[in-house]
Structures are given as C-alpha cells and as structure tokens.
Amino acid sequence: MNQSAKSAPGYEKEYLKNKLKEGVWLVSFTKKDGTDRVIKCTRDPRFVPKELRSTIIETKTKRKESAAIPVWDVNKCEWRSFTADQVYYIEGTVA
C-alpha cells in the first residue's frame, strides 16, 4: 500500500473514513490534551477480530452525528477514536 497524504491539521471526515476502511494506516493526530499520538489503525473488517466486528456497526450508528471516527487500534487491539480536525498526517502501511 505505502500511500501517504500530508497537509495542514485537519482532514475531511469522509475522506479519512474511506481511506481507513481498506488496509492498515498510521495516523498522526493531536489528542485533546494537546499531546501528539501516532496510531496504527483501521476500519477494515479483515483486521478486526470477528467477535468485535459488530461493535463497529453499533458504534457507527451511535456516532453518526458525532465528529469522532472510531478505529481499531491494531497494536492495542481496542477501539479508539479521534476527530478529523485533529489529524495532521496519514500513511498507508502493510499490516
């Protein structure tokens, strides 16, 4: 994959959701407390354990109006979220 996209802080929410639903990505963003974080994450069901795949559908439904983007943290094996305006770098990676 090895694609990258770089810009000023903030991406469009739909752009990120579409990128993250295929493959695994490194996403750099500024947390609410002001610290920076890099997360290896995805929204691609192939990388989420089967028993937890349905939780993304529940989360999507609950957060449809929310700015938060739920993602699967492949290192911590947990759901995490961030908002599009916090993201300042995204790079495609090989799982």
Side-chain angles (χ1 to χ4, degrees):
M1 204 177 322
N2 204 12
Q3 305 169 20
S4 66
K6 198 172 188 176
S7 77
Y11 285 87
E12 293 293 322
K13 182 178 179 180
E14 291 306 313
Y15 171 83
L16 289 171
K17 286 171 64 177
N18 286 331
K19 286 285 188 191
L20 294 167
K21 69 182 177 183
E22 289 189 33
V24 177
W25 294 79
L26 291 176
V27 177
S28 301
F29 66 99
T30 304
K31 293 171 42 173
K32 289 182 181 181
D33 67 6
T35 59
D36 289 335
R37 171 137 192 246
V38 178
I39 183 173
K40 188 174 181 182
C41 62
T42 189
R43 291 172 57 89
D44 187 334
R46 297 176 301 161
F47 298 99
V48 179
K50 282 184 182 180
E51 63 275 7
L52 298 173
R53 287 181 192 161
S54 63
T55 48
I56 189 66
I57 294 165
E58 293 168 20
T59 304
K60 279 190 216 178
T61 304
K62 289 179 186 174
R63 293 187 177 179
K64 194 163 191 157
E65 299 301 317
S66 171
I69 301 170
V71 295
W72 180 253
D73 182 327
V74 298
N75 291 330
K76 292 188 176 187
C77 297
E78 295 178 344
W79 290 107
R80 299 285 188 215
S81 66
F82 48 77
T83 60
D85 64 344
Q86 295 171 297
V87 176
Y88 58 86
Y89 185 76
I90 179 171
E91 180 180 346
T93 183
V94 177

